[in-house]
Amino acid sequence: MSDEFTAYCKLKLDKDLKPAISNALSPHLHKDFLSRGEISLTLEIKNNFISEIHKTKTKFSDYKYIEILNTQISTFQLKGTDRLEERLKKTAERVSYQYKTKFRCGRKRSSFNEGITKIAVYDSELQDVTSLSYRLSKFEEDKIELSIRCKELHKQLLSEEKQRSRGNADYQKLETITEKLKRENDSLHKCLDLLEKHHISSVGGKPVGDLGKSQRYAKMQTLKTQSAKALWFAETYGLTPKNLVFETEHGEDINIRFGEQTESQSENDEIRLKEILFLLDKFAISDQAYHEIAMKTNDLPKFYLIKNCRDKFNEGIQLERTPGNVPGAFLNFRSEVENAIKQKFNDVPTDDAQKKVRIKVSGDGTKVSRISNYVVMSFSLIDDETSLSSLHQKTLAIVKCTENYENIRSSLKPLFDDINELYSEGTILIEDRQYEIEVFFGGDMKFVQLCLGLSSAIAEYACRWCKVSKMERSDFSKS
């Protein structure tokens, strides 16, 4: 409060407020008041100071006039009596009113500032200085005790901080130990999972020495897989198993090689994959069905191996789409003939190989369902040992269309061009061997008639070798 008031009015106490230690009466104090007590002093307050007290009261309405005045008195203190409060209030309001009305500016205001108002103060209205001194001394003692207590609390706080820092260090150590235990626990869990993963179940059936070739191969593959699982711990020592030798009941040694397969093993695996792929295509077994069967058993190769083998076969086939609006596909005739000749005369010496190769190209239409019709073109190599059955036929083209002249002409034109080109050349060179080519064309009567551009067998001109009408066939002079 003292700071607020001093900053507000900025007046000096010793200049504007003077206590008069006398029995002189205040101008507004009646003589009858002497009977109420002895007057200790008279306050002489300048008008400008009273005006500032009024302004402070207006700004800080929660404080009383006596409280505001006590903030500016250092030698004694006034009690908050009703008489002093009322006297200060009336005096402050009167002086403030005169400043606003009569002495607003000029010399009169300056002289009015120096005007003095006297206020009498009784003994009963003064604070007991002795008690105040005693209370002040008590405050000093309390201050010393509080200072000592603060020092003790500060020491205690420092001790608590040290204990807290030690606790944090211990906590960090415990965290480190906990993390280490967690890692060890995770490692043990991994080992447990690995042991469960590599668990080997009992195997029944005949001994390996009593099995046939194909059954032994499947059993050895299973044994190889299980052995690799059983020897997993060797990798923890930085060791990799390469070879494992077993002995059967009959004294036969069986050698299992880990890692890369030998050339003979690779060939056997490739032959087995081709055999399985042939069976899948022959009996129309779907990839999903084979995958499910391979997942249930450990004897069959994985599906991706079958798929890779099939893709390798497909890469060697030059398959093209037939032109026109009907769906279909055909193979390159020259490439297929070369492959067939290589396959037939691969193991035959050059001197014993045939110099002339006869090729028969066939075609036919078939009705698969009520609304599906196909035209199939094929060829075969003709010799004394080869029959004309479907086993020796090699497919050249398959077209989904009805068997008529327009469809055959538009869709099979590239294939017919290849056949005519090879027929015109008459020879073919395969791996430094020259072969003479003789091409034959065959099929049922309807297909041959369509390819030659003739009508049906009962048409007017239906003969494939002459131009005689059906009404003149009996005349041999025109044949």
Side-chain angles (χ1 to χ4, degrees):
M1 180 64 199
S2 176
D3 295 339
E4 294 172 351
F5 179 72
T6 304
Y8 187 83
C9 63
K10 297 181 181 180
L11 297 176
K12 293 184 178 180
L13 179 63
D14 54 355
K15 180 180 179 181
D16 298 330
L17 179 64
K18 294 181 180 180
I21 309 300
S22 66
N23 292 328
L25 298 178
S26 174
H28 299 285
L29 185 63
H30 294 284
K31 295 180 179 181
D32 296 338
F33 283 15
L34 291 173
S35 60
R36 299 182 182 180
E38 185 178 356
I39 298 176
S40 294
L41 54 87
T42 300
L43 294 177
E44 295 180 359
I45 308 174
K46 289 185 178 182
N47 292 332
N48 58 349
F49 187 78
I50 294 174
S51 177
E52 296 298 332
I53 290 177
H54 182 71
K55 292 179 181 179
T56 305
K57 173 63 177 174
T58 304
K59 185 175 182 180
F60 305 101
S61 59
D62 294 337
Y63 294 96
K64 296 181 179 181
Y65 284 98
I66 294 177
E67 292 177 351
I68 298 173
L69 184 59
N70 281 334
T71 59
Q72 304 301 311
I73 300 174
S74 59
T75 56
F76 60 90
Q77 293 290 299
L78 301 176
K79 291 183 179 180
T81 61
D82 295 337
R83 188 191 72 83
L84 284 177
E85 181 69 21
E86 187 67 22
R87 179 67 190 280
L88 286 173
K89 178 181 178 182
K90 290 181 179 181
T91 303
E93 290 177 352
R94 176 180 58 80
V95 172
S96 177
Y97 178 76
Q98 289 178 351
Y99 269 114
K100 292 180 181 179
T101 57
K102 294 182 180 181
F103 308 104
R104 300 181 65 179
C105 60
R107 293 180 179 179
K108 291 183 179 181
R109 183 181 180 90
S110 299
S111 60
F112 185 73
N113 288 338
E114 299 297 328
I116 295 174
T117 300
K118 295 182 180 181
I119 300 176
V121 179
Y122 293 104
D123 290 339
S124 61
E125 294 175 339
L126 289 175
Q127 294 279 1
D128 189 1
V129 179
T130 305
S131 62
L132 291 176
S133 300
Y134 176 75
R135 290 173 61 187
L136 183 61
S137 62
K138 290 293 292 181
F139 288 151
E140 290 293 334
E141 292 177 0
D142 294 340
K143 180 180 178 181
I144 294 172
E145 292 179 359
L146 289 175
S147 178
I148 296 172
R149 180 60 179 166
C150 287
K151 290 181 180 179
E152 292 177 355
L153 291 176
H154 182 67
K155 291 181 180 179
Q156 186 177 358
L157 180 61
L158 293 178
S159 177
E160 292 291 338
E161 287 291 336
K162 290 181 180 179
Q163 292 181 0
R164 181 181 177 183
S165 61
R166 287 196 296 268
N168 290 334
D170 295 338
Y171 178 76
Q172 293 294 333
K173 291 180 181 179
L174 291 176
E175 283 287 334
T176 305
I177 295 173
T178 304
E179 290 295 332
K180 184 178 179 181
L181 292 176
K182 285 183 179 180
R183 289 194 295 269
E184 292 178 356
N185 192 22
D186 294 338
S187 178
L188 292 175
H189 276 293
K190 289 181 180 179
C191 292
L192 182 61
D193 295 339
L194 193 60
L195 289 174
E196 293 178 354
K197 180 180 179 181
H198 293 287
H199 175 69
I200 301 175
S201 58
S202 59
V203 179
K206 295 181 180 180
V208 177
D210 298 336
L211 297 176
K213 183 177 180 181
S214 60
Q215 293 178 341
R216 175 180 291 190
Y217 175 80
K219 188 71 71 174
M220 293 307 299
Q221 291 296 321
T222 304
L223 181 60
K224 180 180 178 180
T225 303
Q226 300 290 355
S227 300
K229 292 181 179 180
L231 296 174
W232 66 270
F233 63 90
E235 297 181 359
T236 59
Y237 294 95
L239 301 176
T240 303
K242 292 292 185 181
N243 194 14
L244 189 62
V245 180
F246 295 96
E247 184 178 357
T248 63
E249 297 176 352
H250 306 290
E252 180 184 359
D253 292 337
I254 297 178
N255 189 4
I256 296 179
R257 295 182 180 275
F258 298 99
E260 297 182 357
Q261 294 181 339
T262 60
E263 184 177 355
S264 59
Q265 290 175 337
S266 300
E267 291 179 357
N268 293 334
D269 292 342
E270 187 175 357
I271 293 173
R272 188 162 181 258
L273 289 175
K274 291 180 180 179
E275 291 175 350
I276 294 175
L277 182 60
F278 172 76
L279 294 176
L280 293 178
D281 292 340
K282 181 177 180 180
F283 295 101
I285 300 175
S286 65
D287 294 341
Q288 185 176 3
Y290 178 80
H291 175 70
E292 295 296 331
I293 296 173
M295 291 294 291
K296 297 296 182 181
T297 61
N298 294 325
D299 299 337
L300 294 176
K302 299 299 181 182
F303 171 69
Y304 75 92
L305 297 175
I306 301 296
K307 185 176 181 299
N308 292 338
C309 183
R310 181 188 298 160
D311 294 340
K312 189 180 296 184
F313 274 114
N314 293 336
E315 289 176 358
I317 300 175
Q318 300 178 2
L319 192 65
E320 300 180 20
R321 189 184 184 282
T322 56
N325 297 326
V326 293
F330 70 96
L331 299 173
N332 185 272
F333 180 68
R334 182 182 293 272
S335 300
E336 293 300 314
V337 170
E338 291 178 357
N339 293 333
I341 295 175
K342 287 179 183 179
Q343 185 178 0
K344 185 176 182 61
F345 302 108
N346 188 25
D347 298 331
V348 179
T350 305
D351 298 336
D352 298 337
Q354 296 181 5
K355 298 296 184 180
K356 190 173 185 179
V357 179
R358 294 182 297 175
I359 304 172
K360 180 186 177 183
V361 179
S362 304
D364 192 11
T366 180
K367 187 174 184 179
V368 179
S369 64
R370 183 176 60 85
I371 58 175
S372 297
N373 297 280
Y374 289 88
V375 175
V376 181
M377 293 287 295
S378 62
F379 80 98
S380 62
L381 301 181
I382 303 174
D383 56 14
D384 297 336
E385 299 177 357
T386 304
S387 64
L388 298 180
S389 65
S390 60
L391 297 176
H392 299 93
Q393 299 292 322
K394 298 184 182 299
T395 304
L396 285 175
I398 298 177
V399 184
K400 185 179 180 181
C401 64
T402 56
E403 190 179 3
N404 56 49
Y405 177 77
E406 289 77 11
N407 290 334
I408 294 175
R409 180 180 179 181
S410 61
S411 60
L412 297 178
K413 184 179 183 303
L415 181 60
F416 289 150
D417 292 341
D418 293 341
I419 296 173
N420 293 331
E421 181 181 356
L422 188 61
Y423 174 78
S424 301
E425 293 177 359
T427 59
I428 186 171
L429 181 63
I430 303 174
E431 295 180 354
D432 299 332
R433 291 184 183 182
Q434 189 77 19
Y435 297 94
E436 295 182 6
I437 299 298
E438 188 176 1
V439 181
F440 298 90
F441 183 75
D444 59 1
M445 187 173 183
K446 179 182 179 181
F447 186 80
V448 174
Q449 295 283 98
L450 291 176
C451 291
L452 295 177
L454 301 176
S455 298
S456 62
I458 60 175
E460 183 70 21
Y461 296 93
C463 184
R464 290 166 284 179
W465 294 276
C466 64
K467 298 181 180 180
V468 179
S469 65
K470 66 178 181 178
M471 301 302 296
E472 298 177 347
R473 289 177 184 174
S474 59
D475 189 357
F476 292 99
S477 62
K478 295 183 179 182
S479 59

